[in-house]
Amino acid sequence: MAKKRKVGNLLALAVLTTLTERPMHRYEIAALLVERGKDRDMDIKMGSLYTVVQNLEKHGLLEIVGSERDGARPERTIYAITEAGRAEAVDWIREIVSTPELEHHRFSAGLSVVAMLPPDEVIALLGTRLERLERDVAAARAELAKCPPEVPRLFLIEAEFNIAILDAEIAWVRGLRTELAEGTFPHIEMWRNFHATNMAMSEIVEQVERGDFTRPA
């Protein structure tokens, strides 16, 4: 089970690991995170970043080491990671790599209530999702291929993992859509009948609870 962190937002881990390079002000941290594509994994907004940095400093994981002024711009506070911050980052990375944790996924949430849509509409929607997923994975592969050969694979494994996840989702969605389109999905006619007769969801739930239809072994 994941530990309860003093600052548990994953943006905090990104800030800590970025500051292992050198002390920086918040705008430089944000610019580096975006430059390295971290905005694909998390929302990087100055308001959120301000709060995360403030909380990390409050808990002794960062410390203020100076400030700088660039022309007429407001003075910028410079932060450095503390030894406690380094220890927290290392411990957090170990936990993430070693311990699977259930993550909330919008698609899972949609699938959990997809019975509210008729199966033929779901077939069409899954087809649209497949097209978009295939574009995404092609773009991700093209981006990875553009990396210079001197970049060590160590710094590319995140992109490899994201491509593997997309590939897995494409295969699963394609399989589900094929079952629905070919009529081999269990109880698909009952599903259609729910919508053809405008059956109330409460009635459908009652049928499930009575065991009127069961999942194939």
Side-chain angles (χ1 to χ4, degrees):
M1 180 180 292
K3 294 181 182 177
K4 185 171 179 61
R5 302 279 169 185
K6 292 176 180 177
V7 188
N9 188 322
L10 280 175
L11 180 56
L13 179 60
V15 169
L16 289 171
T17 54
T18 300
L19 285 174
T20 59
E21 298 178 36
R22 63 180 184 278
M24 303 179 201
H25 54 70
R26 290 188 298 266
Y27 296 95
E28 188 176 7
I29 295 169
L32 271 176
L33 290 175
V34 171
E35 179 185 325
R36 293 169 181 174
K38 299 301 182 185
D39 54 328
R40 291 193 291 266
D41 302 324
M42 62 190 76
D43 289 331
I44 300 174
K45 298 176 181 175
M46 285 310 300
S48 301
L49 185 66
Y50 180 90
T51 302
V52 164
V53 169
Q54 189 177 46
N55 287 335
L56 289 169
E57 194 261 331
K58 172 185 173 183
H59 290 290
L61 304 176
L62 300 182
E63 62 183 352
I64 297 172
V65 294
S67 62
E68 67 177 33
R69 186 183 295 277
D70 183 7
R73 291 180 176 175
E75 192 172 65
R76 293 174 172 175
T77 303
I78 298 174
Y79 296 88
I81 191 169
T82 63
E83 284 307 310
R86 288 178 183 274
E88 175 74 357
V90 168
D91 184 64
W92 202 344
I93 293 165
R94 284 174 176 153
E95 177 189 279
I96 289 172
V97 173
S98 67
T99 309
E101 186 176 358
L102 184 63
E103 298 179 31
H104 300 295
H105 197 298
R106 291 177 70 249
F107 187 39
S108 297
L111 290 172
S112 71
V113 290
V114 79
M116 292 189 68
L117 302 177
D120 293 326
E121 182 179 356
V122 174
I123 292 168
L125 293 170
L126 290 175
T128 300
R129 186 179 188 88
L130 269 176
E131 291 172 5
R132 291 172 176 168
L133 285 169
E134 286 166 350
R135 284 200 299 270
D136 289 347
V137 77
R141 283 200 169 92
E143 189 70 22
L144 185 59
K146 287 193 297 186
C147 288
E150 60 268 21
V151 175
R153 187 181 174 202
L154 174 62
F155 300 107
L156 303 176
I157 53 178
E158 176 189 0
E160 290 181 7
F161 174 74
N162 290 334
I163 289 170
I165 292 296
L166 285 171
D167 281 338
E169 184 175 340
I170 286 169
W172 189 87
V173 170
R174 183 179 289 121
L176 175 60
R177 186 177 183 277
T178 298
E179 284 187 73
L180 294 172
E182 294 180 352
T184 58
F185 187 85
H187 309 297
I188 190 170
E189 291 309 320
M190 187 175 291
W191 183 3
R192 284 198 174 96
N193 186 57
F194 293 157
H195 289 274
T197 60
N198 292 317
M199 186 178 292
M201 186 56 67
S202 58
E203 294 180 64
I204 298 172
V205 171
E206 285 177 11
Q207 286 193 19
V208 174
E209 290 176 345
R210 286 199 308 265
D212 288 356
F213 61 98
T214 56
R215 187 174 57 190

